[in-house]
Amino acid sequence: MSTGTPAPGTSVDDDANVVLGAPEINRALTRIAHEILERNKGGSDVVLLGIPTRGLPLARRLAERLIAVEPGLDPALLVGSLDVTMYRDDLAHHPTRTIGATDIPGGGLDGKVVVLVDDVLYSGRTIRAALDAISDLGRPRAVQLAALVDRGHRELPIRADYVGKNLPTSTSERVRVLLEESDGRDAVLIEGRTR
């Protein structure tokens, strides 16, 4: 069912362009799910940890796709959430944040392949915080990163293993991800882009 999302490349308002609509987001997530299964020779040792806020629904969507390909996977052991608020090194530079929940699946992280899932990869500081948080929770065999959008401008040497869309941006632009679960529609917008 259409949610009224404009086609990619069209204007939403005076200051935003839709660069990915719902069909493109769905295709990107399906591709990422297949890449995760291929790289890890199946999903039996994979744990998807979504970084709130929008990384968690993306992790759940990826889990649905993994289970569609490998029906034997246990959804209860596949998805969790990882709040990184208290591990950030830039808390003084941002408004006060509400501390979210960390929910590790019942099988734990030890010996697993943990795939961190986030909506936008930018400076790399959120992922650095996530790596610190994981080290307090267990010892995975490997940690990988899936991002719906990689917009560049890294401040730390961090690279995504799975990317839905590489989106070259300027630092003055803002990338905003809208998801059906929290925003009522799926879209990736760039705000502040000059035309």
Side-chain angles (χ1 to χ4, degrees), residues 47 67 73-80 103-108:
V47 174
I67 291 167
L73 294 176
D74 184 349
L77 300 177
L78 194 54
V79 181
D103 176 30
I104 303 302

Side-chain angles (χ1 to χ4, degrees), residues 1-8 18-30 61 65 148 178-180 184-188:
M1 181 174 167
S2 173
T3 57
T5 303
V18 176
V19 291
L20 292 177
E24 292 82 15
I25 290 172
N26 284 329
R27 280 195 299 273
L29 292 174
T30 298
R61 291 188 197 185
R65 286 163 171 81
L148 179 62
L178 304 176
L179 295 178
E180 186 71 39
R185 68 180 178 131
D186 285 346
V188 175

Side-chain angles (χ1 to χ4, degrees), residues 11-99:
S11 180
V12 173
D13 56 40
D14 291 339
D15 200 26
N17 265 342
V18 176
V19 291
L20 292 177
E24 292 82 15
I25 290 172
N26 284 329
R27 280 195 299 273
L29 292 174
T30 298
R31 180 175 39 78
I32 289 170
H34 284 276
E35 289 173 0
I36 289 170
L37 290 172
E38 184 175 329
R39 179 170 178 174
N40 295 296
K41 297 176 177 52
S44 60
D45 287 336
V46 171
V47 174
L48 302 169
L49 287 183
I51 299 173
T53 305
R54 287 174 179 77
L56 183 54
L58 290 172
R60 290 181 179 136
R61 291 188 197 185
L62 284 171
E64 290 171 1
R65 286 163 171 81
L66 295 180
I67 291 167
V69 176
E70 284 191 25
L73 294 176
D74 184 349
L77 300 177
L78 194 54
V79 181
S81 64
L82 182 67
D83 180 68
V84 301
T85 303
M86 297 312 295
Y87 292 88
R88 295 192 64 96
D89 64 358
D90 57 357
L91 283 175
H93 305 290
H94 291 284
T96 304
R97 300 169 184 245
T98 304
I99 297 175

Side-chain angles (χ1 to χ4, degrees), residues 29 32 42 48 71 75 78 83 85 93 98 105 116 120 125-126 130-131 136 139 141 157 159 173 186 189:
L29 292 174
I32 289 170
L48 302 169
L78 194 54
D83 180 68
T85 303
H93 305 290
T98 304
L116 294 170
V120 178
R125 294 192 179 276
T126 298
L131 293 171
D136 282 350
R139 185 173 167 79
R141 185 174 80 234
R159 179 185 60 83
E173 294 170 325
D186 285 346
L189 312 175

